[in-house]
Amino acid sequence: MTTIKDVARAAGVSVSTVSHVLSGRRPISEPTRLRVLEAIERLGYRPNRLAQGLVSKSSRSLGLLVPDLANPFFGSMAEAMEIAAHDRGYSVILCNTNLDPKREADYLSMLLSRQVDGLLYFPGTRVPNRALLEAVAAGVPVVVVDERIDNLPGVFVDNFDGGRQLGRLLAQLGHRSLLFIGGPEGLPTVTDRLNGLRAGLAEGGSASATVNLLLRFGEYRASHGYETIHACAREGVFAAVGDERPTAVVAANDMIALGALRALRELQLQVPRDCSLTGFDGVEFTAMITPSLTTVQQPSTRVATAAVELLLQRIEAHEHHRDRERANHEHQPSAEATPVIPHVVLPVTLVVRESVAPPPQLR
């Protein structure tokens, strides 16, 4: 997809000059205007998707893309972001990508055509969507949330420390054989939570203790937790004796834990009598199910507020930069300083509830 920067490069002018030609709001010499129009036609650039959003006045609206609204974590986060944006005079357009790259690209195109001032983006896959990278290259302010993307500003929680707190707790209870049910392998949250779990198990156990950690990866969905437990049962994992049998299941999020709990019940394995179970995120239902779920609580309201504030800062910085470009002669662009990529990392809290206990052999 051709970007406004491609047009500027092909025409030998600045991005602001292309914007001025498209908007018609500033005088541009006729030879320069014709050169820009020729580049637009030759490259097949569609200004209604990107350029109009860059040159228009503020729409006082933000785009919010989440990967899975069926997960109450994203629902509660979206609600908190809408409240934070509303309090600051902005509306939010919510888009559920459902982990579909094509759907995500379509939504990005729609949001840009509606001239949103910036994007709040929850990545759902390891590889960033090309449409997102094109929007960033075109100058659209973007803040990522939950999963890190290289060279983009974002707001995250300390997933490593959350995993470490869980690992330390389970090791201190005496668990030495565990099943970790993760989301997509290689996703930053999955990697950080698993590495933290390993560190916590080492910190909480004796120096001579050997830990058996069985790993399974898939989607951040309840169905993955449910199917993984039954698959492990068919493999004889829960029929093993001694240290080979898992005495605790560590789910990488609360939805996976919910599916795992259902499957464990169907296998007549009681939590926590036969097997402890933990989650991650701290969504509301974790306190209401039986047994109540031990989990790592994310500060959703703080994350949402910090993400909205960071995005508004990026929007303001983008507008100042655009104003400076307009003040300079088109053939004498100002030197750009090396950009600082801000990352906000917030702490998490371990919430210990009924779903954990010492392993059966220690009771």
Side-chain angles (χ1 to χ4, degrees):
M1 180 177 177
T2 303
T3 69
I4 195 170
K5 286 190 174 182
D6 296 327
V7 174
R9 190 179 304 110
V13 298
S14 66
V15 170
S16 62
T17 298
V18 178
S19 297
H20 298 332
V21 170
L22 291 166
S23 68
R25 293 176 182 172
R26 293 178 66 88
I28 300 293
S29 67
E30 186 63 10
T32 298
R33 190 182 74 85
L34 292 175
R35 195 161 70 249
V36 170
L37 292 175
E38 188 276 331
I40 289 174
E41 182 177 359
R42 174 162 46 86
L43 296 176
Y45 177 62
R46 291 176 288 179
N48 63 306
R49 296 240 172 137
L50 289 175
Q52 289 178 355
L54 292 174
V55 302
S56 66
K57 295 180 180 179
S58 172
S59 64
R60 307 297 292 180
S61 64
L62 308 174
L64 170 57
L65 293 103
V66 300
D68 182 15
L69 270 181
N71 185 337
F73 168 73
F74 294 113
S76 63
M77 194 72 76
E79 180 185 21
M81 287 179 170
E82 189 279 329
I83 292 172
H86 180 267
D87 290 344
R88 290 154 180 80
Y90 281 78
S91 61
V92 173
I93 302 175
L94 174 61
C95 302
N96 178 34
T97 67
N98 203 30
L99 296 171
D100 182 344
K102 175 62 167 59
R103 183 184 178 99
E104 183 173 284
D106 290 343
Y107 272 136
L108 283 165
S109 181
M110 178 273 291
L111 291 170
L112 294 174
S113 71
R114 293 193 181 189
Q115 302 177 12
V116 295
D117 293 333
L119 298 171
L120 294 159
Y121 179 75
F122 285 80
T125 57
R126 294 185 297 271
V127 180
N129 195 300
R130 181 179 175 183
L132 175 74
L133 300 180
E134 288 171 349
V136 171
V140 178
V142 175
V143 167
V144 297
V145 189
D146 195 38
E147 302 285 356
R148 298 185 304 275
I149 295 180
D150 291 343
N151 301 318
L152 287 182
V155 178
F156 319 102
V157 299
D158 194 340
N159 289 289
F160 180 90
D161 185 59
R164 179 167 54 190
Q165 291 184 55
L166 281 173
R168 189 184 301 121
L169 168 68
L170 293 170
Q172 290 171 348
L173 288 172
H175 292 278
R176 297 293 178 265
S177 183
L178 302 92
L179 168 61
F180 176 80
I181 309 180
E185 187 172 10
L187 207 63
T189 53
V190 178
T191 300
D192 291 349
R193 292 170 192 181
L194 176 56
N195 288 340
L197 175 67
R198 285 173 166 145
L201 290 169
E203 293 172 8
S206 65
S208 60
T210 300
V211 176
N212 177 40
L213 186 58
L214 183 63
L215 307 179
R216 294 290 187 272
F217 300 98
E219 291 186 332
Y220 265 140
R221 288 177 167 165
S223 57
H224 171 49
Y226 179 85
E227 292 162 3
T228 297
I229 293 296
H230 276 294
C232 286
R234 289 192 297 271
E235 296 168 11
V237 170
F238 294 105
V241 295
D243 292 339
E244 297 301 315
R245 180 183 179 277
T247 60
V249 174
V250 179
N253 78 346
D254 293 335
M255 293 300 291
I256 293 175
L258 183 64
L261 178 61
R262 173 64 183 268
L264 288 168
R265 283 178 177 167
E266 292 178 354
L267 294 171
Q268 305 301 311
L269 294 172
Q270 291 189 23
V271 175
R273 187 195 67 183
D274 302 313
C275 184
S276 290
L277 177 65
T278 67
F280 203 112
D281 287 341
V283 299
E284 188 176 14
F285 73 73
T286 58
M288 302 177 182
I289 60 177
T290 301
S292 57
L293 184 66
T294 294
T295 186
V296 173
Q297 178 76 54
Q298 294 203 42
S300 298
T301 300
R302 288 183 63 193
V303 170
T305 301
V308 170
E309 290 180 346
L310 179 57
L311 181 58
L312 297 187
Q313 292 170 12
R314 304 293 290 184
I315 291 170
E316 183 179 0
H318 172 68
E319 291 173 350
H320 287 333
H321 175 71
R322 191 169 61 193
D323 290 342
R324 285 198 306 270
E325 280 194 329
R326 288 173 177 169
N328 292 323
H329 191 276
E330 63 179 286
H331 297 301
Q332 293 178 335
S334 58
E336 295 186 3
T338 302
V340 176
I341 309 298
H343 281 179
V344 178
V345 181
L346 298 174
V348 294
T349 304
L350 176 64
V351 181
V352 181
R353 297 196 181 108
E354 299 168 341
S355 66
V356 294
Q361 63 267 29
L362 297 183
R363 294 201 298 270

